[in-house]
Amino acid sequence: MTDKPSDETNDDSNNGTGANALWGGRFAGGASDIMQRINASIFFDRRLYRQDIAGSRAHCNMLVAQGILKAEDGHAILKGLDQVEAEITAGTFEYDAAKEDIHMHVEARLGELIGEAAGRLHTARSRNDQVALDFRLWLRDEIDALDPALKQLQTVLLDRAGEHADTVMPGFTHLQAAQPVTFGHHLMAYVEMLGRDRGRFTDCRGRLNESPLGAAALAGTSFPIDRQATAHALGFDRPAANSMDAVAARDFAMEYLAAAAILSVHLSRLAEELVIWASAQFNFISLGDGFTTGSSIMPQKRNPDAAELVRAKAGRVIGDLNALMVVMKGLPMTYSKDMQEDKEPVFEVADTLTLTVPAMTGMIGDLAVNVEVMEAAAGQGFATATDLADWLVRELGLPFRRAHHVTGSLVKLAEEKAVDLDGLSLADMQAVEGGITEAVFAVLGVRNSVASRTSHGGTAPSQVRAAIAAARSRL
Ligand code: ARG
């Protein structure tokens, strides 16, 4: 934040006693400086100004339609709101900690512009339903902007998976060579994760899309308002059913943060793989200039900083989820000022995702795949041992447990001779299991291994291509 809370109280915002002009009727003196600074949210909630003004327009129109507000006052309010919005957008608007938050700033400026009619806008409304409204509207926009970015990341992963549906690499469990897979298959795992991430944000959007406006402070209002009309005007599915829940609920924000935390964990796993793959020891991929940096002392280095930061920023997002959960935990009904602390974690997470998601999209699109290195590595670590065991079951009718044992002995033998499994002679193999024939060598190659895994969702290139086609039609 570039702006600092002002140290002085704003003379315009009090009635000469130092008391706040918007709620200071029963306050004789002004707030202490530290009170103002702990109380003010303007230096972060100013981000809600568009939503705040949109909510006020809808509320104003409804008040006029219901005969609660005179048409001429409504007209003046709408005109004034346009001007306030223009000033904020142009950057000429003045902020002041004495006016606490965006709601009071907009209303105070409206008063300066149109006089007494401004004071009628808050009829049948409270800052409690107002802030709940603004925050939901803001988050809804944010989720709507995130979805295409996630789809873009999926699309790049799909494109790269299509290029590498046949590229063989080691598949790992425990980061130990397990069985050969294709690079396309590996990338498609993330397409699936991201699909579920998008689903979580969509679910969150669906649940948050109820309008709190008209709940007023907590109990509703005695004015004959039309909550259906304001809900409809603001693109909500319906008004929130319970006025207390409407002002007290922040599960929509927690749900967003939870979805963001899971997404960030997924991104951090992929980022970690990029870091590992780009190391000289693995050398599976090369990251270009766009997402790496050099070292000031070691001329040979190309550091995968963007991937490291995507990996690290998951910590921030998880922390923000934790922060809001702890703020909300144990709060009695309904609004408490604690809830003003809901915004910064959400803003920080939204800002973080606007960096991490496109950074990952860029890295996946840019990376060069070292196909030969991957394929050579795929055969290391006896990665086709399962293929050998399966062959013993299929061709010799051994029970799998026995086949597992025989294969283990063959791996031990190969280890002693410092060769891969296909480096053993037929005689070596037959010494362990007499029934083995020359045909076994066909399953020891990594390409055959991968091609044989044709089960639904398996790594065979034919399956990977089918998965890519299915994912493309889902997108
Ligand atoms: N700035 C407040 C917030 O973010 C707005 C709501 C204030 N309501 C109140 N009753 N003081 O939560």
Side-chain angles (χ1 to χ4, degrees):
M1 253 330 126
T2 51
D3 310 69
K4 285 250 173 5
S6 134
D7 283 335
E8 312 113 291
T9 49
N10 182 329
D11 287 335
D12 297 346
S13 71
N14 65 54
N15 47 25
T17 63
N20 187 295
L22 292 170
W23 49 248
R26 62 184 288 268
F27 287 76
S32 69
D33 173 54
I34 195 72
M35 170 56 190
Q36 254 184 36
R37 287 166 58 178
I38 195 174
N39 200 34
S41 54
I42 184 58
F43 297 103
F44 50 87
D45 70 14
R46 46 189 281 191
R47 285 180 77 155
L48 301 175
Y49 81 94
R50 281 186 196 287
Q51 291 73 22
D52 194 72
I53 291 172
S56 286
R57 286 194 183 105
H59 185 64
C60 174
N61 287 329
M62 181 278 292
L63 292 178
V64 171
Q66 296 298 106
I68 302 167
L69 185 66
K70 285 205 287 271
E72 63 200 82
D73 285 341
H75 190 254
I77 287 169
L78 292 178
K79 232 181 124 211
L81 288 172
D82 286 348
Q83 161 119 18
V84 175
E85 185 169 39
E87 288 175 6
I88 297 177
T89 305
T92 58
F93 192 87
E94 277 181 34
Y95 298 98
D96 170 10
K99 280 182 236 151
E100 280 188 47
D101 58 27
I102 187 62
H103 326 295
M104 287 168 62
H105 273 74
V106 171
E107 191 180 327
R109 180 66 186 136
L110 190 64
E112 289 169 6
L113 292 169
I114 71 167
E116 258 219 326
R120 300 189 189 280
L121 173 61
H122 215 51
T123 312
R125 188 176 73 169
S126 153
R127 276 189 293 155
N128 295 350
D129 57 342
Q130 198 175 354
V131 73
L133 170 69
D134 296 2
F135 202 24
R136 282 177 195 246
L137 287 173
W138 188 90
L139 199 50
R140 197 176 71 183
D141 288 348
E142 204 58 38
I143 292 171
D144 289 346
L146 176 63
D147 190 65
L150 290 174
K151 184 175 170 181
Q152 180 63 24
L153 175 52
Q154 284 183 301
T155 304
V156 171
L157 285 164
L158 276 173
D159 291 345
R160 300 312 305 262
E163 285 168 43
H164 292 286
D166 292 287
T167 302
V168 180
M169 71 180 291
F172 299 96
T173 61
H174 313 264
L175 198 56
Q176 306 292 311
Q179 294 172 349
V181 295
T182 70
F183 188 50
H185 196 52
H186 195 130
L187 294 180
M188 287 301 291
Y190 286 97
V191 172
E192 293 297 320
M193 288 176 238
L194 290 164
R196 293 192 296 276
D197 288 321
R198 288 177 66 194
R200 273 181 278 273
F201 286 109
T202 304
D203 289 350
C204 171
R205 190 199 193 285
R207 267 184 290 277
L208 77 70
N209 205 33
E210 293 186 347
S211 173
L213 189 58
L218 77 162
T221 175
S222 56
F223 291 97
I225 59 169
D226 183 351
R227 293 192 61 209
Q228 299 286 348
T230 46
H232 183 256
L234 293 164
F236 287 106
D237 296 329
R238 63 192 79 84
N242 179 291
S243 64
M244 295 177 73
D245 175 49
V247 296
R250 292 294 183 271
D251 54 292
F252 65 90
M254 290 186 275
E255 189 172 3
Y256 166 78
L257 293 177
I262 297 171
L263 164 65
S264 298
V265 167
H266 290 160
L267 294 177
S268 80
R269 297 180 75 173
L270 181 51
E272 166 69 351
E273 302 208 282
L274 297 185
V275 172
I276 293 174
W277 294 340
S279 67
Q281 287 66 27
F282 268 76
N283 193 30
F284 285 4
I285 61 167
S286 307
L287 294 168
D289 295 349
F291 294 95
T292 54
T293 64
S295 156
S296 54
I297 181 170
M298 296 164 283
Q300 84 285 5
K301 290 201 70 184
R302 178 186 283 286
N303 295 325
D305 296 45
E308 294 167 82
L309 288 165
V310 169
R311 182 175 65 185
K313 282 186 189 292
R316 192 184 276 264
V317 176
I318 293 164
D320 283 326
L321 166 62
N322 198 47
L324 183 57
M325 302 269 278
V326 176
V327 165
M328 295 307 296
K329 181 201 165 292
L331 283 188
M333 289 290 107
T334 52
Y335 177 85
S336 298
K337 196 64 173 253
D338 308 53
M339 288 157 66
Q340 180 165 287
E341 291 288 309
D342 60 359
K343 284 165 217 69
E344 284 168 294
V346 170
F347 291 159
E348 179 170 74
V349 164
D351 291 343
T352 299
L353 296 183
T354 64
L355 293 173
T356 54
V357 175
M360 186 54 82
T361 305
M363 284 188 284
I364 297 298
D366 262 22
L367 62 84
V369 182
N370 304 331
V371 172
E372 291 78 24
V373 178
M374 274 190 184
E375 181 155 350
Q380 289 165 9
F382 313 106
T384 53
T386 315
D387 299 87
L388 172 53
D390 287 350
W391 185 89
L392 295 171
V393 170
R394 206 168 47 241
E395 303 299 326
L396 305 188
L398 266 52
F400 183 79
R401 285 292 158 221
R402 166 104 192 106
H404 187 284
H405 192 79
V406 167
T407 306
S409 304
L410 289 168
V411 166
K412 186 157 177 281
L413 187 61
E415 230 163 18
E416 282 160 12
K417 296 189 169 225
V419 293
D420 287 331
L421 280 172
D422 60 1
L424 291 173
S425 68
L426 184 58
D428 288 339
M429 294 206 192
Q430 286 173 337
V432 175
E433 168 52 59
I436 295 180
T437 66
E438 192 71 35
V440 78
F441 287 97
V443 301
L444 298 181
V446 291
R447 298 212 144 264
N448 287 332
S449 164
V450 156
S452 72
R453 298 227 147 65
T454 52
S455 54
H456 182 85
T459 197
S462 56
Q463 282 300 326
V464 173
R465 287 202 178 79
I468 292 170
R472 279 202 202 283
S473 66
R474 277 204 308 274
L475 289 192

